Amino acid sequence: MPKGLKATSSVVAISAQVIEAGPNTYTQEEISLDLSPLDNEVFVVVAVDLNPSFPDALAGVDTATQTCISTTSRATMGFIEDNNVLSSGSSAIRAAGFVDGGVGFSQQALETPPATLEYIGIIATNNFFLSIQGTGNLLGKTGGARVWGYRARADAAIYSALVQSEVLSS
C-alpha cells in the first residue's frame, strides 16, 4: 500500500469501450469513477489491458489502430512516454510496397505489472479517458480496455499533491 493512502475497497475491474467516430478519426471516451473528492478518494490502478481492433489489411497501404488510457483528457493520441498516459497499445500492418496485405505488428505497454510493483498509477480526479485512432483504414475501429484497481482514501496533503500533479500533466 502506498504511504498516505488507506484502501477502502478490494480490487475491482472496470471495463470500457471506445468506438471511432469515423475512419481514422481520433475519438475519446470518458469513463467515470464516481470518486468522492470530499473524502479525498483516489483510484489506485494495479493493472491495465488494452484491446485495439485489428487494422484493415489493404494491399500496398500501411494501416494501424492505436489506443491509450490517460488520466486527463487529450486532444491527440497519447503514448506510454506521456506523463498522463497509463497504458498505450497499437496494432499495425506494414504493406507499403507489397502487393498483398503486408505484415502485421503489435506493440503494447506491459499488461500486468511485475509482482514487485505496488501500483502503476493513481487517478485522483473523477475519471479517466480511453482513446482510439486508426491510420489508413477504410472502416472505423473500436478499442476495449479493462482497468483493475481499488479505491483508497488519501490524507489531505497527498490528495492535494495528486490532484495538482494530474491536472498539470495534461
Side-chain angles (χ1 to χ4, degrees):
M1 170 67 59
K3 283 190 174 248
L5 298 181
K6 180 181 179 197
T8 59
S9 77
S10 59
V11 173
V12 296
I14 299 170
S15 299
Q17 181 183 44
V18 61
I19 300 171
E20 230 180 349
N24 312 310
T25 304
Y26 176 78
T27 306
Q28 176 177 264
E29 187 73 31
E30 180 177 353
I31 294 90
S32 177
L33 292 171
D34 293 326
L35 298 174
S36 173
L38 295 175
D39 294 324
N40 296 345
E41 194 173 39
V42 297
F43 189 76
V44 181
V45 179
V46 296
V48 174
D49 189 11
L50 285 174
N51 189 13
S53 60
F54 294 112
D56 296 341
L58 305 172
V61 178
D62 289 344
T63 58
T65 305
Q66 299 173 308
T67 57
C68 84
I69 290 181
S70 59
T71 57
T72 56
S73 180
R74 299 186 55 85
T76 60
M77 182 54 60
F79 299 95
I80 198 67
E81 64 269 16
D82 297 323
N83 289 335
N84 64 345
V85 173
L86 294 175
S87 185
S88 66
S90 67
S91 293
I93 297 176
R94 298 296 174 231
F98 294 97
V99 294
D100 62 6
V103 178
F105 297 91
S106 67
Q107 179 179 349
Q108 189 161 333
L110 190 59
E111 287 183 355
T112 304
T116 57
L117 202 56
E118 285 186 85
Y119 63 94
I120 60 172
I122 298 174
I123 301 172
T125 54
N126 211 23
N127 47 31
F128 65 93
F129 299 85
L130 174 60
S131 303
I132 189 162
Q133 183 172 14
T135 303
N137 296 303
L138 298 177
L139 302 170
K141 300 299 172 186
T142 63
R146 183 160 295 142
V147 177
W148 287 269
Y150 57 90
R151 294 172 181 271
R153 185 168 289 123
D155 66 37
I158 289 176
Y159 182 75
S160 176
L162 287 170
V163 170
Q164 183 178 11
S165 174
E166 190 171 311
V167 171
L168 292 176
S169 76
S170 59

